[in-house]
Amino acid sequence: MTAPPDAKTIFGWLLSMYGNQNWWPGRSPVEIMVGAILTQRTSWRNVTLAISELDRAGLLSLTALLQASPDTVRAAIRPAGFANVKYRRLMSLLQFVAGSGDLPGLAATPTDVLASSLRAVPGVGPETADSILLYALNRPVFVVDAYARRLLERLGNQWARAPYPVLQRWFQESLPTEVALLGEYHALIVAHGKARCRVRPRCTGCLAWPQCPLGQ
Ligand code: SF4
């Protein structure tokens, strides 16, 4: 039995199949943070509708969001669903950012400190925290998500169900510490999870197929 493919091999397959994804779709760190909260439990299409509403209302800045009335913000983010919960989470995150000295304050904070502080914000789990670290704050961290776990499990990787930090370390230890590469990798895994490695996989054309026990 051959060993499961390593992280670099998987990245090569994904990049060949889907090409550069150029994530995260957001024009500013604050917009990326807003998107990271709004994308919880909904499709990206709904997130873009909510972000467009915020943009139309002139609310895509830290100050504007913190000063706006709760009803105004809740109405704008309603397309992303769970407006009350997401409003509270968004405010908790933005208050954390403001209390940390805004973006310059965050930029001066070491990654490990930032990671644990972000994870302590209500409603910000490891995946959301690392998405913010990677895409909004340019920190070289790998984002572990359900698509990554499913892919590794299907490829026979023993760490597929390991706790978040263990699986994150497995990826990071064999990859260059590069924000661009790590950002592409997460985006490619999402693309693969949506296009082929779905709950019911559509394996046609998958470059992992020769080494995938499930695909065969
Ligand atoms: S062969 Fe199928 S199950 Fe295996 S990684 Fe590819 S899409 Fe997923």
Side-chain angles (χ1 to χ4, degrees):
M1 193 174 148
T2 54
D6 60 26
K8 280 186 186 159
T9 302
I10 298 170
F11 179 76
W13 287 334
L14 296 175
L15 190 59
S16 297
M17 284 190 279
Y18 304 105
N20 283 322
Q21 302 295 299
N22 300 313
W23 268 29
W24 179 290
R27 292 160 295 177
S28 69
V30 168
E31 185 176 324
I32 292 169
M33 289 182 204
V34 170
I37 294 292
L38 296 185
T39 197
Q40 296 172 344
R41 300 175 66 189
T42 195
S43 68
W44 187 253
R45 186 179 165 278
N46 291 336
V47 176
T48 56
L49 292 174
I51 286 180
S52 296
E53 287 299 318
L54 289 170
D55 198 15
R56 240 191 305 278
L59 292 175
L60 276 180
S61 74
L62 187 63
T63 311
L65 276 166
L66 286 173
Q67 289 180 350
S69 77
D71 284 349
T72 303
V73 178
R74 275 194 290 258
I77 66 175
R78 190 147 289 131
F82 308 100
N84 289 330
V85 173
K86 289 183 180 178
Y87 171 77
R88 284 197 298 275
R89 291 180 178 181
L90 191 54
M91 287 303 120
S92 298
L93 173 62
L94 298 179
Q95 280 155 5
F96 161 76
V97 173
S100 304
D102 205 335
L103 295 176
L106 297 182
T109 307
T111 301
D112 55 342
V113 176
L114 254 185
S116 38
S117 303
L118 277 168
R119 289 175 192 190
V121 174
V124 177
E127 183 185 335
T128 302
D130 286 341
S131 296
I132 292 168
L133 283 172
L134 177 61
Y135 295 108
L137 304 173
N138 295 317
R139 302 304 175 98
V141 295
F142 184 87
V143 179
V144 175
D145 67 352
Y147 292 122
R149 289 186 183 280
R150 187 161 74 202
L151 174 58
L152 288 198
E153 187 157 31
R154 288 172 172 178
L155 292 173
N157 188 301
Q158 62 172 319
W159 304 112
R161 291 180 183 231
Y164 191 101
V166 175
L167 188 50
Q168 184 179 51
R169 208 161 40 242
W170 183 82
F171 276 101
Q172 290 186 177
E173 277 176 355
S174 52
L175 295 170
T177 314
E178 290 174 12
V179 170
L181 182 141
L182 294 168
E184 272 304 327
Y185 206 152
H186 174 58
L188 286 165
I189 286 176
V190 173
H192 186 53
K194 289 182 173 170
R196 288 192 175 89
C197 211
R198 302 155 63 116
V199 174
R200 288 185 175 199
R202 298 177 178 174
C203 304
T204 306
C206 179
L207 295 178
W209 184 82
Q211 289 191 54
C212 180
L214 188 128
Q216 297 179 30

